[in-house]
Amino acid sequence: MAKRTAVKDKPADGVNPRQPCPCGSGKRYKACHGSAGGAADVIVSRPFQGLAAEAELIALREFVPSAMAKLPLKADGQAAGSGREITLATVLPMAAAGLVRADGTAFVGLQVQTRSGDLSRDLARAVQWALTAKTGDALAVVGPDDGSNPGRLQDLLDVDATLTPELHTDFAWWLPPDNEPAGEVALSLERANAAILPTERLDAPGVAAAYWVDAGDKAHLRWVRPEPEETLLAALARLTVRGELDLGEGSRYAGSFRAHGLLVPVWDLDRELHSSEWAPGAEALGKRLQDALTSLDAEPLTEAERRARDGLRGRQITLR
């Protein structure tokens, strides 16, 4: 009688099949996205989880108008591809998912339509396309799975690398230097430039993924935070009770919104002040928030702080 050979589960897409699925469903990966085609439409609520650049990716995807950043591809493995550098961009001409400019610069767009419930997987497909696409090629939209199995963005990037986006006041970078737009690209460029709200990334120690934007009647600070929502709300509530949830005179906490699994607190700001003038206040607020987060383990919320937390939970805002 032949011996039976035990076959261990093999990792799929870089995920151990016995581990929880990255989509957050609570199921094991092999019973969810790792199954044989049964979970293609499951929504991944936190697509960039596990990446040090998660908060910046969310900002670039959701509300930063014109910016780019070099993608920190792994030095070996399937991300190495042709050795070509890939630049992540907020928006590309015609809202393309990928583009190789006439000078050979390869871009992948973040603010695009998706064809699956996993934004990370769709972006990985666009990156794999950009690694080998020809000069002048454009990828209109990431199509259905073609069997290439690029995995997810977490499989292609250095997960410990951060991003420092380069912001622009227009979309002139769509074209190589000294190139004049024409046809549909010119029309798309004109429309995109007209829609830009002045935006700056705050540069201060301990401050990341925090963006000042001039919305016309007032300015705002949108700060993508990496903490779990309930933990962050508790810390914000503690600062609220202390009267410390601001960036200084001329600022007011407005509320928050959820984006790809993280919470984004928003402050209204006096638009007469330059964006850089808010950096010290953001740094000080960041330190107070970190102290409040640390104190939660030793000091449970008081009754007043719990009421404040409930109030903050109800102050959800919508971007316009």
Side-chain angles (χ1 to χ4, degrees), residues 143-297:
D145 192 352
D146 58 6
S148 60
N149 190 25
R152 308 177 74 239
L153 206 58
Q154 287 84 342
D155 302 314
L156 304 182
L157 303 186
D158 176 355
V159 297
D160 296 321
T162 58
L163 289 181
T164 304
E166 176 186 337
L167 272 63
H168 295 265
T169 57
D170 58 24
F171 289 97
W173 52 267
W174 279 358
L175 300 172
D178 301 324
N179 281 43
E180 291 295 326
E184 290 186 347
V185 172
L187 182 60
S188 183
L189 182 61
E190 181 180 354
R191 290 174 176 171
N193 285 341
I196 288 180
L197 293 178
T199 302
E200 298 288 345
R201 182 176 183 268
L202 262 60
D203 184 15
V207 178
Y211 289 84
W212 171 93
V213 58
D214 184 351
D217 56 339
K218 64 181 65 175
H220 307 287
L221 176 71
R222 300 164 180 170
W223 193 345
V224 186
R225 297 296 308 186
E227 299 85 9
E229 180 174 335
E230 286 303 310
T231 302
L232 178 61
L233 283 173
L236 293 174
R238 180 151 288 174
L239 294 185
T240 298
V241 171
R242 295 174 180 174
E244 297 179 346
L245 190 56
D246 60 61
L247 288 85
E249 185 177 355
S251 68
R252 180 185 69 86
Y253 180 75
S256 63
F257 63 93
R258 297 182 184 91
H260 303 293
L262 295 183
L263 202 64
V264 186
V266 179
W267 287 263
D268 291 338
L269 306 174
D270 181 353
R271 67 185 298 267
E272 296 302 318
L273 298 179
H274 190 271
S275 60
S276 62
E277 295 182 73
W278 295 107
E283 181 183 356
L285 174 59
K287 291 178 180 178
R288 295 196 301 271
L289 184 54
Q290 188 56 54
D291 289 342
L293 287 164
T294 302
S295 73
L296 292 175
D297 290 335

Side-chain angles (χ1 to χ4, degrees), residues 14 16 28 40 51 65 73 79 97 99 111 130 170 195-196 219 233 237 247 261 277-278 304 314 318:
N16 186 327
R28 290 184 179 184
L51 294 171
L73 296 176
L99 170 71
Q111 297 178 22
D170 58 24
I196 288 180
L233 283 173
L247 288 85
E277 295 182 73
W278 295 107
T318 301

